[in-house]
Amino acid sequence: MFHKQLEQVSPAVRLEMEWSRALIDSIAEILKRKGMTQRELAEKIGCNETQITRWTRGFPNFTISSLAKLSEALGEPLIRINEPQGTATTE
């Protein structure tokens, strides 16, 4: 039934859902690998554990700010953005 409903959504919505699921999977994998709990992650980014649970149990609408905080707290980038050629980075 889910797959039938998924076929009815626009390609952009489908892509958003795929990206969200990939981010959720990445967060879970990093937490597991580092032996970190959702509570510890929440403390590191200054939110409550409920917010982390919401992000990891559904299709969240991550903001650039939340992704940056999560990446910093996890010590790993969650996304990579291709810089236009010739653009200097701040690293």
Side-chain angles (χ1 to χ4, degrees):
M1 183 169 186
F2 174 75
H3 294 289
K4 218 170 200 182
Q5 291 175 331
L6 187 59
E7 291 172 3
Q8 297 175 10
V9 300
S10 73
V13 170
R14 213 170 313 136
L15 188 57
E16 179 182 349
M17 292 172 72
E18 289 171 10
W19 287 353
S20 291
R21 176 55 39 204
L23 284 165
I24 291 166
D25 290 346
S26 291
I27 292 167
E29 188 273 325
I30 294 167
L31 287 173
K32 183 177 179 180
R33 186 167 18 92
K34 294 191 174 206
M36 184 186 294
T37 66
Q38 289 185 1
R39 179 173 297 190
E40 291 168 331
L41 179 58
E43 289 172 3
K44 282 188 166 199
I45 66 170
C47 74
N48 60 44
E49 189 177 358
T50 303
Q51 181 63 45
I52 303 297
T53 300
R54 281 189 208 125
W55 283 339
T56 58
R57 293 219 174 147
F59 290 100
N61 188 10
F62 291 111
T63 65
I64 296 296
S65 177
S66 62
L67 289 171
K69 288 177 183 177
L70 285 164
S71 292
E72 181 180 7
L74 293 168
E76 297 183 29
L78 291 171
I79 60 172
R80 297 195 193 287
I81 298 174
N82 294 329
E83 296 286 337
Q85 290 185 353
T87 302
T89 62
T90 57
E91 292 183 29

